Tab-separated table of all heavy atoms in Angstrom:
chain	number	residue	atom	x	y	z
A	287	PHE	N	-0.501	23.342	36.441
A	287	PHE	CA	-0.958	24.687	36.734
A	287	PHE	C	-1.045	24.882	38.280
A	287	PHE	O	-0.205	24.448	38.971
A	287	PHE	CB	-2.324	24.987	36.052
A	287	PHE	CG	-2.217	25.192	34.587
A	287	PHE	CD1	-2.296	24.096	33.742
A	287	PHE	CD2	-1.947	26.396	34.046
A	287	PHE	CE1	-2.167	24.270	32.353
A	287	PHE	CE2	-1.805	26.611	32.666
A	287	PHE	CZ	-1.918	25.524	31.854
A	288	ALA	N	-2.114	25.478	38.703
A	288	ALA	CA	-2.199	25.752	40.174
A	288	ALA	C	-2.780	24.537	40.928
A	288	ALA	O	-3.280	23.573	40.301
A	288	ALA	CB	-3.079	26.978	40.345
A	289	GLY	N	-2.821	24.638	42.235
A	289	GLY	CA	-3.399	23.571	43.024
A	289	GLY	C	-4.943	23.707	43.145
A	289	GLY	O	-5.634	22.891	43.719
A	290	ILE	N	-5.468	24.843	42.581
A	290	ILE	CA	-6.925	24.993	42.473
A	290	ILE	C	-7.325	24.814	41.071
A	290	ILE	O	-6.495	24.804	40.176
A	290	ILE	CB	-7.381	26.389	43.003
A	290	ILE	CG1	-6.775	27.498	42.136
A	290	ILE	CG2	-7.075	26.592	44.505
A	290	ILE	CD1	-7.296	28.842	42.447
A	291	HIS	N	-8.565	24.561	40.864
A	291	HIS	CA	-9.109	24.474	39.536
A	291	HIS	C	-8.918	25.831	38.818
A	291	HIS	O	-9.412	26.867	39.292
A	291	HIS	CB	-10.620	24.095	39.508
A	291	HIS	CG	-11.005	23.473	38.235
A	291	HIS	ND1	-11.029	24.097	37.044
A	291	HIS	CD2	-11.421	22.179	37.946
A	291	HIS	CE1	-11.450	23.319	36.105
A	291	HIS	NE2	-11.695	22.120	36.633
A	292	ASP	N	-8.114	25.837	37.763
A	292	ASP	CA	-7.689	27.088	37.203
A	292	ASP	C	-8.879	27.958	36.653
A	292	ASP	O	-9.923	27.420	36.350
A	292	ASP	CB	-6.727	26.855	35.996
A	292	ASP	CG	-5.501	26.190	36.450
A	292	ASP	OD1	-4.716	26.837	37.172
A	292	ASP	OD2	-5.347	24.974	36.218
A	293	LEU	N	-8.605	29.249	36.552
A	293	LEU	CA	-9.657	30.171	36.011
A	293	LEU	C	-9.970	29.760	34.587
A	293	LEU	O	-9.097	29.493	33.809
A	293	LEU	CB	-9.070	31.571	36.059
A	293	LEU	CG	-8.600	32.024	37.418
A	293	LEU	CD1	-8.067	33.446	37.355
A	293	LEU	CD2	-9.712	31.951	38.422
A	294	ARG	N	-11.268	29.649	34.272
A	294	ARG	CA	-11.575	29.145	32.950
A	294	ARG	C	-12.550	30.153	32.294
A	294	ARG	O	-13.787	29.978	32.282
A	294	ARG	CB	-12.288	27.760	33.077
A	294	ARG	CG	-11.390	26.753	33.764
A	294	ARG	CD	-12.031	25.395	33.776
A	294	ARG	NE	-13.211	25.345	34.548
A	294	ARG	CZ	-14.084	24.338	34.502
A	294	ARG	NH1	-13.958	23.384	33.710
A	294	ARG	NH2	-15.210	24.388	35.248
A	295	PRO	N	-12.031	31.210	31.710
A	295	PRO	CA	-12.877	32.223	31.087
A	295	PRO	C	-13.736	31.807	29.964
A	295	PRO	O	-14.755	32.396	29.673
A	295	PRO	CB	-11.865	33.240	30.627
A	295	PRO	CG	-10.541	32.513	30.420
A	295	PRO	CD	-10.597	31.473	31.517
A	296	ASN	N	-13.355	30.662	29.360
A	296	ASN	CA	-14.168	30.193	28.173
A	296	ASN	C	-15.344	29.342	28.564
A	296	ASN	O	-16.161	29.049	27.728
A	296	ASN	CB	-13.223	29.367	27.177
A	296	ASN	CG	-12.213	30.272	26.555
A	296	ASN	OD1	-12.547	31.355	26.143
A	296	ASN	ND2	-10.956	29.844	26.598
A	297	LEU	N	-15.350	28.819	29.802
A	297	LEU	CA	-16.372	27.862	30.133
A	297	LEU	C	-17.389	28.379	31.168
A	297	LEU	O	-17.921	27.706	31.976
A	297	LEU	CB	-15.704	26.623	30.688
A	297	LEU	CG	-14.874	25.879	29.615
A	297	LEU	CD1	-14.260	24.624	30.296
A	297	LEU	CD2	-15.706	25.459	28.427
A	298	GLY	N	-17.644	29.697	31.117
A	298	GLY	CA	-18.652	30.255	32.037
A	298	GLY	C	-18.147	31.224	33.013
A	298	GLY	O	-16.982	31.327	33.252
A	299	SER	N	-19.069	32.010	33.540
A	299	SER	CA	-18.694	33.049	34.521
A	299	SER	C	-19.666	32.918	35.682
A	299	SER	O	-20.820	32.679	35.515
A	299	SER	CB	-18.847	34.465	33.901
A	299	SER	OG	-18.478	35.406	34.773
A	300	PRO	N	-19.195	33.081	36.920
A	300	PRO	CA	-17.840	33.377	37.344
A	300	PRO	C	-16.927	32.168	37.221
A	300	PRO	O	-17.426	31.051	37.103
A	300	PRO	CB	-18.027	33.798	38.827
A	300	PRO	CG	-19.183	32.994	39.242
A	300	PRO	CD	-20.096	32.947	38.071
A	301	PRO	N	-15.617	32.318	37.295
A	301	PRO	CA	-14.689	31.232	37.169
A	301	PRO	C	-14.818	30.208	38.334
A	301	PRO	O	-15.322	30.576	39.421
A	301	PRO	CB	-13.276	31.848	37.244
A	301	PRO	CG	-13.503	33.287	36.864
A	301	PRO	CD	-14.899	33.618	37.333
A	302	ASP	N	-14.408	28.980	38.088
A	302	ASP	CA	-14.508	27.893	39.045
A	302	ASP	C	-13.213	27.790	39.865
A	302	ASP	O	-12.157	27.686	39.334
A	302	ASP	CB	-14.786	26.621	38.315
A	302	ASP	CG	-15.069	25.413	39.268
A	302	ASP	OD1	-14.995	25.629	40.478
A	302	ASP	OD2	-15.316	24.349	38.751
A	303	PHE	N	-13.317	27.901	41.209
A	303	PHE	CA	-12.144	27.825	42.073
A	303	PHE	C	-12.158	26.543	42.846
A	303	PHE	O	-11.494	26.433	43.897
A	303	PHE	CB	-12.124	28.992	43.041
A	303	PHE	CG	-11.769	30.307	42.405
A	303	PHE	CD1	-12.769	31.103	41.906
A	303	PHE	CD2	-10.444	30.707	42.315
A	303	PHE	CE1	-12.498	32.307	41.302
A	303	PHE	CE2	-10.133	31.915	41.732
A	303	PHE	CZ	-11.088	32.757	41.231
A	304	GLU	N	-12.762	25.454	42.363
A	304	GLU	CA	-12.893	24.221	43.096
A	304	GLU	C	-11.520	23.616	43.366
A	304	GLU	O	-10.626	23.492	42.468
A	304	GLU	CB	-13.730	23.247	42.265
A	304	GLU	CG	-13.936	21.872	42.953
A	304	GLU	CD	-14.617	20.874	42.005
A	304	GLU	OE1	-14.933	21.314	40.845
A	304	GLU	OE2	-14.804	19.755	42.419
A	305	ILE	N	-11.276	23.205	44.643
A	305	ILE	CA	-10.062	22.561	44.957
A	305	ILE	C	-10.069	21.129	44.408
A	305	ILE	O	-11.098	20.401	44.572
A	305	ILE	CB	-9.870	22.501	46.508
A	305	ILE	CG1	-9.915	23.885	47.074
A	305	ILE	CG2	-8.550	21.723	46.889
A	305	ILE	CD1	-8.701	24.768	46.714
A	306	ILE	N	-9.008	20.673	43.799
A	306	ILE	CA	-8.974	19.375	43.175
A	306	ILE	C	-7.753	18.612	43.539
A	306	ILE	O	-6.773	19.176	44.063
A	306	ILE	CB	-9.085	19.428	41.634
A	306	ILE	CG1	-7.909	20.238	41.104
A	306	ILE	CG2	-10.411	20.066	41.218
A	306	ILE	CD1	-7.810	20.151	39.649
A	307	ASP	N	-7.687	17.334	43.242
A	307	ASP	CA	-6.472	16.497	43.345
A	307	ASP	C	-5.522	17.026	42.310
A	307	ASP	O	-5.806	16.977	41.146
A	307	ASP	CB	-6.901	15.019	43.076
A	307	ASP	CG	-5.644	14.104	43.021
A	307	ASP	OD1	-4.542	14.602	43.179
A	307	ASP	OD2	-5.867	12.928	42.777
A	308	ASN	N	-4.361	17.444	42.749
A	308	ASN	CA	-3.461	18.100	41.724
A	308	ASN	C	-2.765	17.099	40.831
A	308	ASN	O	-1.978	17.464	40.035
A	308	ASN	CB	-2.368	18.911	42.468
A	308	ASN	CG	-1.473	18.124	43.396
A	308	ASN	OD1	-1.476	16.871	43.384
A	308	ASN	ND2	-0.624	18.798	44.202
A	309	SER	N	-3.103	15.770	40.970
A	309	SER	CA	-2.566	14.786	40.043
A	309	SER	C	-3.287	14.884	38.663
A	309	SER	O	-2.641	14.591	37.611
A	309	SER	CB	-2.764	13.363	40.569
A	309	SER	OG	-2.016	13.199	41.768
A	310	PHE	N	-4.539	15.284	38.734
A	310	PHE	CA	-5.333	15.364	37.480
A	310	PHE	C	-6.187	16.652	37.514
A	310	PHE	O	-6.526	17.072	38.631
A	310	PHE	CB	-6.233	14.134	37.342
A	310	PHE	CG	-5.428	12.923	37.094
A	310	PHE	CD1	-5.112	12.028	38.124
A	310	PHE	CD2	-5.031	12.506	35.779
A	310	PHE	CE1	-4.367	10.886	37.943
A	310	PHE	CE2	-4.324	11.340	35.569
A	310	PHE	CZ	-3.959	10.552	36.653
A	311	PRO	N	-6.593	17.121	36.341
A	311	PRO	CA	-7.506	18.281	36.330
A	311	PRO	C	-8.989	17.917	36.562
A	311	PRO	O	-9.865	18.658	36.124
A	311	PRO	CB	-7.275	18.852	34.961
A	311	PRO	CG	-6.856	17.685	34.114
A	311	PRO	CD	-6.106	16.820	34.984
A	312	PHE	N	-9.187	16.798	37.174
A	312	PHE	CA	-10.556	16.354	37.522
A	312	PHE	C	-10.404	15.341	38.698
A	312	PHE	O	-9.315	14.865	38.975
A	312	PHE	CB	-11.276	15.685	36.326
A	312	PHE	CG	-10.436	14.723	35.575
A	312	PHE	CD1	-10.092	13.436	36.082
A	312	PHE	CD2	-9.886	15.080	34.363
A	312	PHE	CE1	-9.355	12.562	35.368
A	312	PHE	CE2	-9.115	14.183	33.611
A	312	PHE	CZ	-8.844	12.938	34.147
A	313	GLU	N	-11.498	15.046	39.342
A	313	GLU	CA	-11.461	14.075	40.430
A	313	GLU	C	-11.006	12.700	39.916
A	313	GLU	O	-11.607	12.156	38.911
A	313	GLU	CB	-12.808	13.863	41.064
A	313	GLU	CG	-12.880	12.908	42.200
A	313	GLU	CD	-14.256	12.547	42.705
A	313	GLU	OE1	-15.244	13.136	42.117
A	313	GLU	OE2	-14.395	11.703	43.571
A	314	ASN	N	-9.969	12.143	40.452
A	314	ASN	CA	-9.457	10.879	39.967
A	314	ASN	C	-10.164	9.693	40.691
A	314	ASN	O	-9.496	8.936	41.460
A	314	ASN	CB	-7.997	10.793	40.110
A	314	ASN	CG	-7.390	9.544	39.416
A	314	ASN	OD1	-7.923	9.087	38.406
A	314	ASN	ND2	-6.257	9.013	39.924
A	315	LYS	N	-11.412	9.576	40.466
A	315	LYS	CA	-12.242	8.445	41.078
A	315	LYS	C	-11.627	7.132	40.661
A	315	LYS	O	-11.392	6.864	39.491
A	315	LYS	CB	-13.658	8.574	40.656
A	315	LYS	CG	-14.537	7.612	41.434
A	315	LYS	CD	-16.013	7.869	41.168
A	315	LYS	CE	-16.906	7.017	42.013
A	315	LYS	NZ	-18.360	7.222	41.773
A	316	GLY	N	-11.333	6.252	41.611
A	316	GLY	CA	-10.728	4.998	41.354
A	316	GLY	C	-9.228	4.966	41.616
A	316	GLY	O	-8.605	3.942	41.832
A	317	GLY	N	-8.605	6.189	41.667
A	317	GLY	CA	-7.203	6.326	42.043
A	317	GLY	C	-6.198	5.776	41.050
A	317	GLY	O	-5.022	5.645	41.379
A	318	PHE	N	-6.664	5.531	39.850
A	318	PHE	CA	-5.715	4.971	38.784
A	318	PHE	C	-4.806	6.058	38.265
A	318	PHE	O	-5.272	7.154	37.964
A	318	PHE	CB	-6.520	4.318	37.614
A	318	PHE	CG	-5.691	3.595	36.667
A	318	PHE	CD1	-5.143	2.333	37.022
A	318	PHE	CD2	-5.467	4.051	35.442
A	318	PHE	CE1	-4.389	1.647	36.126
A	318	PHE	CE2	-4.670	3.393	34.496
A	318	PHE	CZ	-4.146	2.157	34.837
A	319	LYS	N	-3.528	5.732	38.194
A	319	LYS	CA	-2.522	6.698	37.733
A	319	LYS	C	-1.638	6.199	36.603
A	319	LYS	O	-0.430	6.510	36.459
A	319	LYS	CB	-1.619	7.182	38.886
A	319	LYS	CG	-2.424	7.972	39.941
A	319	LYS	CD	-1.520	8.613	40.936
A	319	LYS	CE	-2.332	9.486	41.945
A	319	LYS	NZ	-1.476	10.145	42.970
A	320	GLY	N	-2.252	5.389	35.778
A	320	GLY	CA	-1.522	4.939	34.546
A	320	GLY	C	-0.530	3.848	34.809
A	320	GLY	O	-0.527	3.130	35.876
A	321	ARG	N	0.314	3.644	33.873
A	321	ARG	CA	1.338	2.571	33.842
A	321	ARG	C	2.247	2.716	35.059
A	321	ARG	O	2.917	3.811	35.267
A	321	ARG	CB	2.149	2.568	32.564
A	321	ARG	CG	3.207	1.491	32.536
A	321	ARG	CD	4.048	1.546	31.283
A	321	ARG	NE	3.315	1.292	30.089
A	321	ARG	CZ	3.907	1.170	28.890
A	321	ARG	NH1	5.197	1.258	28.737
A	321	ARG	NH2	3.138	0.960	27.806
Side-chain angles (χ1 to χ4, degrees):
F287 287 90
I290 61 172
H291 202 295
D292 298 288
L293 306 178
R294 301 187 295 166
N296 293 314
L297 296 180
S299 180
D302 185 358
F303 287 90
E304 178 187 359
I305 302 295
I306 60 170
D307 174 1
N308 62 9
S309 297
F310 293 94
F312 45 75
E313 180 191 359
N314 190 30
K315 189 172 184 180
F318 189 73
K319 293 189 176 182
R321 182 184 292 187

